[in-house]
Amino acid sequence: MTETHIASQLRRRSELATPATNDRMFARAAASAADLVFLDLEDAVAPAFREEARGKAVRALNDHDWGSTVRAVRINGIDTRWAYGDIIEVLTGARENLDTIIVPKVTSARDVWWVDVLLTQVEETLGLSKPVRLEVLIEDVAGVANAESIATASPRLDALIFGAGDLSVSQGARVDTNFKPRDSYPGDFWHYARMKVLTAARIGGVLAIDAPYPDFRDGDGYANDARHAASLGFSGKWAIHPSQIDIANEIFSPTEEEIQRATRNLEAYREAEARGLGATSVDGQLVDAAHVKLALAILSQAGIATTL
């Protein structure tokens, strides 16, 4: 499956994190403009409450109207004692009201395979017809090294997520609480890891989602981070606060100017092709097959269905 095909079906401009223990946030999350909301059973929940949080997540999934928002849960890592229970209890309780499971700290393709197999068994036991989708976090040096095999490990996979927080620890990086280098650094500190995740995602035909930005009061900083990721080719970014949703949705959507330009280029190329030409020009600029692919990608990101 190609990335263009994936992008024509999925929008993941913003993925909102919501602690599964915070009942007061569920209604607001469900009513938000986020493309995906995930109820977090992992880092946002104290270990003593992680089993109790499963039931809260199930009630949130079942009791609220989520509209078109993708309903997701982040389970605990498969190296913990909670992972299998997270999958079995939440899926058994929520059934068709759970769309996606986010798997943290994935270090190899085998991690994804383990979740895939368990999901298949639970789905068959419950008689569910809609398979649960997967997104996985690349937030460990081993995960970065194995990103390509992870991206192709399961047909359930929709996205790779770059996680700078735990990667900072795994890498031994000297960063501040916003995952920025404490000392001066020549360029983007996370460029290598970001490009590894992005490249692997494209190889696997899945989306690439950028890391969270912890300082939710710094809207300009979040926007700058998002623009940088969007320029590289990321499809969206995590939001740890509702104030970040609109910023992500705007930045990871094509502008009206981009849409108009893509439409003009596509129409001009079709006209040229009908005359037996393999290239043409628009506003004094070359338009060939590569520009057509770019135009189709932009229109797909905008949710505009078209074919060449």
Side-chain angles (χ1 to χ4, degrees):
M1 184 178 290
T2 66
E3 191 277 334
T4 301
H5 182 57
I6 282 284
S8 67
Q9 302 180 64
L10 301 179
R11 298 191 90 182
R12 296 290 188 272
R13 300 165 302 172
S14 54
E15 298 198 350
L16 177 64
T18 304
T21 50
N22 195 332
D23 309 64
R24 295 174 299 143
M25 297 179 67
F26 295 155
R28 185 177 181 186
S32 75
D35 289 336
L36 176 148
V37 172
F38 70 91
L39 305 174
D40 193 8
L41 300 175
E42 195 210 17
D43 285 351
V45 179
F49 296 96
R50 290 186 181 177
E51 293 177 2
E52 177 185 333
R54 297 169 185 161
K56 289 178 177 285
V58 169
R59 288 190 291 275
L61 293 168
N62 291 340
D63 295 348
H64 291 278
D65 180 4
W66 294 86
S68 61
T69 301
V70 177
R71 302 157 295 184
V73 166
R74 177 166 69 164
I75 64 171
N76 286 278
I78 69 164
D79 60 338
T80 73
R81 66 181 180 86
W82 297 290
Y84 83 98
D86 291 345
I87 294 171
I88 294 171
E89 187 171 334
V90 173
L91 183 52
T92 300
R95 301 174 75 92
E96 288 84 359
N97 291 329
L98 175 65
D99 300 313
T100 298
I101 283 178
I102 297 177
V103 188
K105 300 177 178 64
V106 170
T107 61
S108 70
R110 189 177 74 166
D111 297 349
V112 183
W113 173 85
W114 184 90
V115 176
D116 190 332
V117 169
L118 181 54
L119 278 173
T120 299
Q121 293 174 353
V122 178
E123 288 166 348
E124 290 178 355
T125 299
L126 297 175
L128 301 180
S129 58
K130 184 190 75 171
V132 174
R133 307 300 299 169
L134 292 177
E135 297 189 6
V136 302
L137 273 155
I138 306 296
E139 50 184 341
D140 180 277
V141 291
V144 172
N146 296 322
E148 289 87 351
S149 61
I150 291 169
T152 56
S154 169
R156 295 179 186 267
L157 197 61
D158 286 334
L160 299 186
I161 305 162
F162 166 55
D166 281 283
L167 182 58
S168 299
V169 179
S170 177
Q171 184 174 308
R174 295 170 59 89
V175 296
D176 61 22
T177 55
N178 215 38
F179 313 136
K180 302 295 184 182
R182 295 206 304 258
D183 300 311
S184 134
Y185 186 84
D188 174 17
F189 188 78
W190 293 113
H191 184 73
Y192 171 76
R194 272 194 172 108
M195 286 305 300
K196 279 284 288 184
V197 171
L198 176 63
T199 302
R202 294 299 176 264
I203 290 171
V206 302
L207 302 180
I209 310 300
D210 195 42
Y213 191 87
D215 187 357
F216 59 85
R217 292 168 298 185
D218 180 12
D220 290 341
Y222 181 85
N224 288 335
D225 234 32
R227 288 191 191 95
H228 178 64
S231 295
L232 291 176
F234 279 76
S235 301
K237 188 172 180 65
W238 267 19
I240 63 164
H241 190 274
S243 64
Q244 296 176 332
I245 295 171
D246 288 344
I247 299 172
N249 286 348
E250 178 182 356
I251 289 173
F252 289 98
S253 296
T255 65
E256 188 61 35
E257 181 181 354
E258 288 174 320
I259 293 171
Q260 291 176 2
R261 175 76 185 190
T263 301
R264 291 203 310 273
N265 285 354
L266 192 57
E267 290 173 350
Y269 185 85
R270 284 171 172 157
E271 292 173 3
E273 190 177 42
R275 302 195 307 271
L277 302 176
T280 186
S281 66
V282 174
D283 299 333
Q285 296 184 12
L286 173 72
V287 175
D288 61 9
H291 296 90
V292 169
K293 293 177 183 177
L294 178 60
L296 290 172
I298 289 171
L299 295 176
S300 177
Q301 290 167 7
I304 300 173
T306 185
T307 56
L308 179 59

